[in-house]
Amino acid sequence: MKDITRDGNPVLRKQAETVKFPLSKEDRELGQNMMKYLEVSQDPEQCKKYHLRAGVGLAAPQVGVSKLMAAVLTPPEEDGKESPFKAIMVNPVIVSNSVQPAALTVGEGCLSVDKDIPGYVPRSDRVTIKYQDLDGNEHKVRLKHYPAIIVQHEIDHLHGTLFYDHIDTENPFSQAENEIFID
Ligand code: NB4
Ligand code: NI
């Protein structure tokens, strides 16, 4: 899990393959290990000790596996406004998204992209997603704001898209009308 694929590796630009159930032992461990990476990376001590970059999401192509699998772990917020979202998602799809656009105020960074690429990444403020868990149970959830943005970043990875593909090259900080910003 420490070896994250870097931009330039073709696996990051491929369409990932559907995962079949029941999961193989390897696929199950892949999901569990991706979540473990996020947990360890969000613990300041372990993050430093293992020289990791902190993450709130990770997609299988980022560990070199071209399969429709991703993990998301949003840390609990101080103000507790939004419910935290923790999931290992298998075969996730966005079934609907809001017209309302949103972007992270600080822009986005990706564990597979070494340099900082400034600019707003326009996304949907809310998404409804469907996915299977490691046991094959179907889930349909509606997310908004921060968790919704993370999930869109991860699902993009499964289709070979990187965050900077969405940044306006002419004007990286251009704003869509009524776009909301998430800290
Ligand atoms: C995925 C995110 C990039 C933008 C927003 C944020 C961090 C990532 C990439 C949307 C999704 C990983 C997967 C952070 C981070 C806030 C919470 C809790 C305590 C430190 C942690 C830092 F690290 N992005 N990194 N980038 N990716 N917030 N936080 N904090 O997670 O490439 O495809 O631990
Ligand atoms: Ni990423």
Side-chain angles (χ1 to χ4, degrees), residues 69-84:
M69 215 192 277
V72 174
L73 179 63
T74 66
E77 287 180 82
E78 310 85 65
D79 53 18
K81 266 200 308 231
E82 281 148 47
S83 37

Side-chain angles (χ1 to χ4, degrees), residues 149-176:
I149 303 264
I150 300 168
V151 162
Q152 290 171 80
H153 178 113
E154 302 319 325
I155 292 181
D156 267 356
H157 273 300
L158 304 178
H159 305 292
T161 300
L162 295 173
F163 74 97
Y164 62 77
D165 300 341
H166 298 291
I167 299 177
D168 184 336
T169 45
E170 299 285 290
N171 182 5
F173 291 100
S174 66
Q175 300 178 22

Side-chain angles (χ1 to χ4, degrees), residues 5-6 8 15 26 40 47 53-54 73 80 114 126 131 153:
T5 55
R6 293 293 134 96
Q15 166 63 47
E26 275 147 328
V40 169
C47 184
R53 272 176 69 193
L73 179 63
D114 285 331
R126 299 179 296 279
Y131 65 90
H153 178 113

Side-chain angles (χ1 to χ4, degrees), residues 16-34:
E17 306 269 336
T18 302
V19 179
K20 298 207 178 68
F21 284 88
L23 287 194
S24 65
K25 187 166 173 275
E26 275 147 328
D27 286 346
R28 174 175 289 273
E29 285 173 359
L30 170 66
Q32 289 167 338
N33 287 337
M34 289 197 297

Side-chain angles (χ1 to χ4, degrees), residues 31-106:
Q32 289 167 338
N33 287 337
M34 289 197 297
M35 183 58 78
K36 191 75 198 167
Y37 178 98
L38 298 180
E39 288 167 352
V40 169
S41 83
Q42 288 185 23
D43 172 350
E45 256 115 70
Q46 295 194 76
C47 184
K48 238 173 95 187
K49 181 167 160 212
Y50 297 114
H51 306 281
L52 304 177
R53 272 176 69 193
V56 290
L58 190 64
Q62 294 186 279
V63 292
V65 182
S66 193
K67 289 186 179 172
L68 292 173
M69 215 192 277
V72 174
L73 179 63
T74 66
E77 287 180 82
E78 310 85 65
D79 53 18
K81 266 200 308 231
E82 281 148 47
S83 37
F85 183 61
K86 175 179 184 175
I88 299 168
M89 307 184 295
V90 181
N91 301 323
V93 280
I94 294 174
V95 292
S96 69
N97 45 271
S98 64
V99 175
Q100 171 73 63
L104 295 182
T105 313
V106 294

